[in-house]
Each structure stands twice: as C-alpha cells, then as structure tokens.
Amino acid sequence: QVQLVESGGGLAQAGGSLRLSCAASGRTFSSDVMGWFRQAPGKEREFVATLTLSSGSTYYADSVKGRFAISRGNAKNTVYLQMNSLKPEDTAVYYCAAGPRFALRNPVQYDYWGQGTRVTVSS
C-alpha cells in the first residue's frame, strides 16, 4: 500500500511564503512523477506542478510559474512545494499525488493521493 502524507500548510499573508512537504511510503512505490494539485471551495481540483523523479524535470501551471518551485528532498520519495509571493487566490487545499511517467496535468493520470493540507492566504 502506498501512502502520501502532506504537511506544511497553514495561514500566510499575501506576499508571504509557505513550504509544503510530501512524503511517499510503501514497499510498492514505484511512481516516477509526483505532483501538486489544489482545490478551492466550490472549484474543481487544478494542477499546480509536477516533478519527474527520474529526470528532475519540472512543469508548472501558468498561474504559479515564477512563484512556486517543486523540488525533491534528500530523503527518497519526498517532494516539496516552495510557495512564494502568495496571493489570496492561492487559498485552497493542496494535494500531493504520485503517478506513472506520463502523468502531467490531468488528475485522473495519478494513482495515489495524499489527504491534503490547507493553505489560507489573507489579503
């Protein structure tokens, strides 16, 4: 069984920063892509960023490009999302996901999901 556990959410002021963490565990974990998605109240889950573990390649949604950075931790199967210059519209529950090599923007491409961590940005 694969588990993804997120941490690091909380309250920030506009212009501030937060860093989210996601740790994947499980003997069968072999996913090559780890991604971050978010879901605001009343809205659909939307893509934020992905990292391909084998190559280090990253991909971002236009709405966060230049402000957010996804990276891999020293611990195996750990990824971070550094969020800078936060805006009130970044307020959402953020989810970590893991998927196969072809996974990208579409949530249905991902096999495993974390429970989510809430980020609130005040103006």
Side-chain angles (χ1 to χ4, degrees):
Q1 184 73 13
V2 174
Q3 287 188 323
L4 302 179
V5 179
E6 304 104 331
S7 61
L11 177 65
Q13 290 187 333
S17 299
L18 285 173
R19 189 175 82 156
L20 306 183
S21 301
C22 174
S25 62
R27 289 184 299 170
T28 60
F29 183 80
S30 60
S31 301
D32 194 34
V33 172
M34 293 188 75
W36 287 96
F37 289 77
R38 66 187 182 185
Q39 189 165 16
K43 295 188 177 181
E44 293 185 351
R45 191 167 299 190
E46 67 171 354
F47 164 74
V48 175
T50 62
L51 171 67
T52 301
L53 297 176
S54 59
S55 67
S57 296
T58 58
Y59 183 63
Y60 296 93
D62 287 343
S63 59
V64 306
K65 199 173 296 183
R67 300 189 298 121
F68 291 10
I70 188 171
S71 62
R72 183 174 186 174
N74 291 329
K76 187 180 179 181
N77 301 334
T78 299
V79 292
Y80 301 103
L81 185 68
Q82 179 67 42
M83 305 186 295
N84 299 325
S85 301
L86 284 164
K87 303 176 181 180
E89 51 263 44
D90 295 320
T91 296
V93 176
Y94 283 71
Y95 297 91
C96 176
R101 181 166 44 90
F102 60 81
L104 195 61
R105 303 176 62 94
N106 193 337
V108 302
Q109 297 172 319
Y110 290 78
D111 302 314
Y112 306 105
W113 291 86
Q115 81 287 353
T117 184
R118 185 174 302 274
V119 171
T120 303
V121 183
S122 62
S123 58

